[in-house]
Structures are given as C-alpha cells and as structure tokens.
Amino acid sequence: MAVAKAKAGVPNARDYIGNADGPAAGPRAGMNEFIKQLIHHSGGAVWNNGAYGRRDMKGKPGSLSVHATGRAVDMSYRGSAQKPQASRKSALPFVEKLCANANELGIQMVIDYFPAPHGRAWRCDRQAWQKYTKPTVSGAPGGDWFHFEISPQAADSVIFVKAAFLKVFGEIPPKA
C-alpha cells in the first residue's frame, strides 16, 4: 500500500502510512502500552480483541494487514458478565476524544465497523470520519469493535505513549 498524503488545506493532517512499513517481527512495546492505556482510560468500555498477527487483511488476500506491522489493535465494546462496563454507548465518547487528540496520541486510523451500510473510518490524512457507501471493511456493518492504528513512533515507544495519554487524560494509570 502506498502512503496516503495529508489532504491539502486540512489543518493538522498527517500522512497515513497504512502497511507501508511492512511486517514486524512481533508485538511492539509502544503498541502494548497503547492497549493498556485504552483499557484503563475507557473505564472498561473497551477490551483487547486482538492485536499483532502476521496475516493479510480480512477479505483481501495478498494485502498485508496493519496488524502484521505491530501497529494495530481491535478493541471490542461487547459486554459480558466479565466485562459489564463494555458497551458501544460508553465507548463512543471515548473514541471521539481519542480522535480529537489523535495527533498527540499518534493515532493514524480508527475504523468503526458498526454503522450501516458499511461502517466508517477516521484517518489522520483527512482529520475526519468518512462513512463508507460501499463494502470497504470486512465485518461491517454490525461489528462490535473499533480498529486502531498508531504511528511507528508510538508503536516503538512506551515513553511516547505514556506521555501522550498523560497529556490528554491527565493521569497515570496504576501498574497492572
């Protein structure tokens, strides 16, 4: 995949790199910290539904998944007896705050698989959500998770991720 250049005239737009950095050898430390921070700061509204995996995109054979780069995670809001705080209603305001602070947090993309007809995605190159009008992502509509992609800088630095979440949310989560 080629890098999608930041849209001209869009304030704070950044290049979206997708899978251009290629596969990682394994999970990346900053991504693992990003997942911890998401869980903590969401108050249990989301939980890790899958991160690193050396694979192609679902439904797109031959196209490397960003999960394979070590910079993507799927965070579910599916509630259960073990996850009673998880819900779409509680996750949505949290996700909007993440998108509003995406540059600070190193977020490149967020996919929301739930909305009909075909889901939607927020990207750093346009600094906005786009509702899909044709089948674009596998699992939409109706998927009960958000897909997050972060920059290589964030994926490789626990310090970057902790500092970014501290700046945006103003607290340091307790040690797990």
Side-chain angles (χ1 to χ4, degrees):
M1 175 181 181
V3 172
K5 293 302 205 179
K7 305 287 185 243
V10 175
N12 302 314
R14 296 173 289 131
D15 292 350
Y16 169 69
I17 67 168
N19 61 12
D21 54 338
R28 292 162 83 163
M31 183 78 241
N32 290 338
E33 183 63 32
F34 187 83
I35 293 165
K36 284 191 224 172
Q37 296 282 335
L38 289 175
I39 293 166
H40 173 75
H41 290 290
S42 76
V46 296
W47 51 274
N48 183 354
N49 196 33
Y52 176 77
R54 193 91 180 244
R55 63 175 178 81
D56 287 345
M57 288 183 216
K58 288 185 176 151
K60 296 182 180 177
S63 294
L64 186 70
S65 169
V66 178
H67 287 276
T69 71
R71 298 184 298 98
V73 63
D74 293 330
M75 300 296 290
S76 181
Y77 51 82
R78 182 175 51 252
S80 69
Q82 296 78 27
K83 296 172 178 51
Q85 294 87 2
S87 73
R88 181 168 176 82
K89 183 178 179 182
S90 57
L92 278 172
F94 176 65
V95 170
E96 290 301 333
K97 183 170 184 173
L98 294 171
C99 291
N101 293 279
N103 287 356
E104 188 69 44
L105 296 166
I107 295 172
Q108 288 259 303
M109 181 179 213
V110 180
I111 301 173
D112 180 356
Y113 295 83
F114 184 77
H118 304 290
R120 67 184 183 142
W122 182 97
R123 275 200 356 200
C124 63
D125 61 328
R126 62 178 174 256
Q127 295 288 308
W129 286 98
Q130 176 183 346
K131 190 170 183 180
Y132 294 134
T133 58
K134 62 182 185 189
T136 305
V137 291
S138 180
D144 62 2
W145 70 96
F146 294 98
H147 168 92
F148 291 91
E149 296 175 15
I150 62 175
S151 68
Q153 178 187 15
D156 288 333
S157 177
V158 170
I159 293 168
F160 175 95
V161 172
K162 285 182 176 181
F165 273 86
L166 177 62
K167 184 171 183 180
V168 171
F169 290 94
E171 67 168 294
I172 298 173
K175 293 197 184 244

